[in-house]
Structure formats: C-alpha cells, structure tokens
Amino acid sequence: MKVVAFERNKQGTGASRRLRNSGKTPGIVYGANSEPQLVELDHNALWHALKKEAFHSSILDLEVAGKSQAVLLRDVQYHPFRQIVLHVDFQRVDANKKLHTKVPVHFMNQETNPAVKLGGAVISHVVTEVEIECLPGDLPEYVELDLAKIEAGQSLHAKDIVLPKGVSLTAHIEADNPVIAAAAVPAGAVSSEAAAEGEGETPAA
C-alpha cells in the first residue's frame, strides 16, 4: 500500500497545531539506523487509510520527496473525542532483518460450527490480534484460526493458529500460549434446555 507524505521542517506544539488547522497531520519516520525524519500527511487521506486493516499490519510504501521507503505503522494518536488524527509514527524496515509486529486474527468457519448451529454455543473472540516475527517479505496481512471443530467448553490457543511459511509467534506469545477463542453455551440456554427436559418427565407417585 502506497502512502504519500511531505517533508516537515517545523516542530513543536504551535507548529503542529497550525499544521492540523490546515488539514495536515504531523508524523515521524524512524529506524533502520537512519536519522528520524519529520513528515506531514493529508489528514483526510490518512483518516480513510486508517480504517483499512491492511494499513495497520502491512509493509507500507512511504514516499517522501520522491523517494520511497518501506515502513510499518507503529503508533497513532487520536484526539480524545473529535475525529482527528493528532500524530503518526512510522518505522523503517530492513528487508534482511526480522521484525516483531501484531497482525489481526481472522476467525474462520464459525457459522458452520456444529456446536453453534445445533448446540446453541456462543464463540467468544478473546484475542483479536497476535504478535509474530518474520522477515518483512513474509509478513501476512492477517492470520487465520479455524473454528470449525471447536466444541462447547473448549478453547483454542495461539499455537492452534496455522502460520504461513516463514512466520512464527514471538517468544513470549509462544511461551504464554494465550486463549484466542472460547466456546460456551449461555446459562440461559442451558436452563431452558433443562426445563424442557423436565416437562417431559412423569412425576413420581
């Protein structure tokens, strides 16, 4: 995904405020053993880009002053109650160096799961993104977790995600193996089912 930014010379609270008033968002590009670079981006274009999942988890082609560089979006600061992006941080990536980043989890086959369709189970998405490590060229936009066979009372963990080639969970995620999704039958559904069974029983004399 291509992103166009412009060089920014002035910094400080006053300069950033004037920049935002003109429809621009201040940002910074850092990393890869190079000096940090101050940039500005069109606010409306950035706002719409931020709504796309891929913008948060893909290698971006950032063009500044006609030169392109591969970056990851690392931080976004929003206004507490107005629809305004206050600041963005991009990190340069080295094609030969592994990076650590979070990617979204896409939950597959939940609608066809027998426990959901026939058993009244509800599947909770406990975690919606996981931290992985890989070379930039192997970075997936998302990873998938198959919910086709999860049963009521069961849970699926980080290690149940089938990762693409060249991608692995970061060490602490691998060690903790957190729950990603869990299936349970709501208490109300259990009570209704028990009551229905009870109605069919003949009282003892």
Side-chain angles (χ1 to χ4, degrees), residues 110 113-123 150-153 183-190 193:
Q110 179 167 323
N113 179 289
V116 173
K117 289 183 67 178
L118 306 175
V122 174
I123 298 179
I150 186 174
E151 298 179 3
V185 177
V190 174
E193 186 177 324

Side-chain angles (χ1 to χ4, degrees), residues 53-101:
E53 184 180 73
F55 192 76
H56 296 261
S57 57
S58 301
I59 302 297
L60 305 173
D61 179 17
L62 181 67
E63 181 183 308
V64 183
K67 296 181 179 179
S68 294
Q69 49 191 320
V71 301
L72 271 177
L73 177 67
R74 280 306 193 190
D75 188 48
V76 184
Q77 297 175 25
Y78 293 96
H79 191 279
F81 55 87
R82 297 173 63 190
Q83 292 188 337
I84 296 177
V85 182
L86 298 177
H87 195 276
V88 287
D89 291 6
F90 297 101
Q91 181 183 358
R92 301 183 187 95
V93 297
D94 183 336
N96 300 310
K97 186 177 180 181
K98 284 191 174 183
L99 52 85
H100 290 199
T101 190

